[in-house]
Amino acid sequence: MRKLFLALLLFLLSTATAFADAAPGDTIVTYGQDLKPAQKEQIQNRFNAPSGAQEITVTNQEEHKYLDGLLNKSVIGSRALSSAMIQIAEPGKGITVETNNITWVSKAMYENALATAGVKDATVKIDAPSPVSGTAALTGIMKAYETVTGEKIDENQKKVANEEMVTTAKIGETIGDKEKAAELLTRLKAELAKQTSNLSDDQLREMIRNVADQMGLQLSDAEIESLVSILRKIQNLNIDWNKTLDQISSYKGQVQDFLNNNPEAKSLVQEILLFLKNLIDQILAWFK
């Protein structure tokens, strides 16, 4: 019986590998539909994608699908120009973003939003023919990731990821420091990761104020409420943030520090590991 169990385990592992849809190095490029031929060629040269990289197109309608209601339509615009290249990275590498001609959304903001959307281990380049806000690029990146991996991203996660990006960008604009705004969201997600149950709105407000104070940030009541709104939606995604936060390359080392500084979170992880060890030991005992 034990040999049968081990044989079945090996079969399942080999099957999981055989059906993997993407491998490190797999690359896909997404171009805005309204790029002129010369503009597309310019971006192609800057991306320098490997030979055989797949190409897809993103439309302005797709951009509006996720950004309408979050931004004024005049900000989103009527043309799709932002482009992106996504390359699957080795497991554990996390999400790394490079940008060119992107003025409103920082690299860390993209990393945060992509992690929320469920993107894993990817190198991303975002570009445009001239300076743009960059808010529409996220739609193209998620579409490209779905295409190259064959994994469908939950529509609700896409919407929350876009709202998170816009919320962070607006706060970064107000406080005058986009990187601080991105770090604030990362720290708040780390705080959520420590919780064993959903927090109330009042508890979320207290958490936001505490983290902002630790960072020396002064947030308005309106900014706090916008963060409560997005954190409530993030909290309801039921994501394993201990794993997801590790995808954010800009704060890769710091995130673990945020988590390790909380003894309760540490003990919870230890309890889970002990439970899994005991469970595995029990299962193996059945086949002796």
Side-chain angles (χ1 to χ4, degrees), residues 2-17:
R2 187 175 183 181
K3 289 181 178 179
L4 178 62
F5 171 75
L6 292 173
L8 179 61
L9 181 61
L10 288 171
F11 171 77
L12 291 172
L13 289 173
S14 63
T15 303
T17 303

Side-chain angles (χ1 to χ4, degrees), residues 173-191:
E173 192 173 43
T174 302
I175 66 176
D177 192 329
K178 296 172 185 175
E179 293 307 315
K180 277 285 187 183
E183 183 182 347
L184 172 64
L185 257 293
T186 307
R187 284 176 176 260
L188 289 173
K189 286 180 182 177
E191 289 298 316

Side-chain angles (χ1 to χ4, degrees), residues 245-260:
L245 286 167
D246 201 43
Q247 290 290 321
I248 306 170
S249 296
S250 293
Y251 305 107
K252 206 169 182 68
Q254 296 178 48
V255 166
Q256 209 54 46
D257 291 339
F258 303 155
L259 293 169
N260 290 340

Side-chain angles (χ1 to χ4, degrees), residues 224-240:
I224 291 174
E225 291 309 308
S226 69
L227 287 169
V228 168
S229 175
I230 190 61
L231 288 178
R232 170 69 61 224
K233 293 170 183 175
I234 286 173
Q235 190 173 238
N236 290 338
L237 291 176
N238 294 319
I239 291 174
D240 183 351

Side-chain angles (χ1 to χ4, degrees), residues 1 6 12 53 68 96 109 119 165 168 178 181 226 233 240-241 250:
M1 182 65 76
L6 292 173
L12 291 172
D68 279 352
T96 305
M109 288 180 197
V119 173
M165 176 186 65
T168 311
K178 296 172 185 175
S226 69
K233 293 170 183 175
D240 183 351
W241 290 108
S250 293

